[in-house]
Amino acid sequence: MTATDPALTALAQGWCALSLLHGRIEAHIERALQSGHDLSAREYSLLDVLSRQHDGEGGHLQMKQVADAVVLSQSATTRLVTRLEDRGLLERYLCPTDRRGIYTNVTEAGLKLLEEARPTNDAALREALDEAAQSPELAPLVRVVESLKAPAAA
């Protein structure tokens, strides 16, 4: 395979289109959440992931699992948790069965902000997808995103 191989060129173009779609969506959501709720898209994502925890078996996430879910490094996730904890939106506590483990929960204030921000996030996502669908190179990707179903709960 050479650098001018058509298959490689098509693959690179597909990757660029996917990256462009992601960037546009993230930027649109970021602006909407910042202006309406003083939240970044990453902060919203973190609150959303942590709000889905439960007290049952395997219901709380370890920091590595949280980092994977919000697509950040573990250290960046820890910094983000600290920022939201300082704002009173999250709280950390020791795992009752393993004193080495630290869990993070969303506070009542965090849940309230998440509830207020969810319609903004959803509307911004819809707007960004609708706008991207007008672009011939992005329209096929938008259709794929719209056709995806949420994974079934394990």
Side-chain angles (χ1 to χ4, degrees):
M1 204 183 294
T2 67
T4 57
D5 184 310
L8 186 58
T9 301
L11 189 62
Q13 289 172 338
W15 170 243
C16 286
L18 182 59
S19 181
L20 178 63
L21 178 62
H22 176 269
R24 285 185 182 183
I25 291 170
E26 188 172 50
H28 194 83
I29 291 172
E30 182 81 23
R31 284 189 301 274
L33 288 172
Q34 280 289 350
S35 67
H37 307 282
D38 194 28
L39 270 179
S40 71
R42 295 281 189 202
E43 290 167 338
Y44 174 87
S45 179
L46 180 66
L47 288 171
D48 184 52
V49 165
L50 292 174
S51 74
R52 297 172 193 274
Q53 297 180 118
H54 57 84
D55 288 331
E57 180 72 26
H60 280 84
L61 301 172
Q62 297 173 348
M63 197 56 69
K64 178 171 182 355
Q65 294 169 304
V66 174
D68 289 346
V70 296
V71 194
L72 287 173
S73 69
Q74 206 165 337
S75 61
T77 302
T78 299
R79 288 190 301 273
L80 186 57
V81 165
T82 299
R83 268 200 324 269
L84 292 178
E85 187 178 32
D86 291 346
R87 289 176 59 186
L89 303 174
L90 297 177
E91 59 189 2
R92 292 185 236 205
Y93 65 95
L94 291 176
C95 171
T97 59
D98 179 0
R99 304 287 293 171
R100 296 169 296 172
I102 297 175
Y103 289 143
T104 306
N105 273 342
V106 182
T107 63
E108 286 301 318
L111 290 172
K112 183 176 184 295
L113 181 58
L114 180 62
E115 183 180 323
E116 292 168 357
R118 192 175 307 280
T120 302
N121 179 79
D122 294 349
L125 174 59
R126 180 74 266 155
E127 290 165 5
L129 286 169
D130 289 348
E131 185 179 304
Q134 303 305 309
S135 170
E137 70 272 9
L138 298 179
L141 293 172
V142 171
R143 285 193 297 276
V144 168
V145 169
E146 290 173 336
S147 73
L148 294 175
K149 302 290 185 244

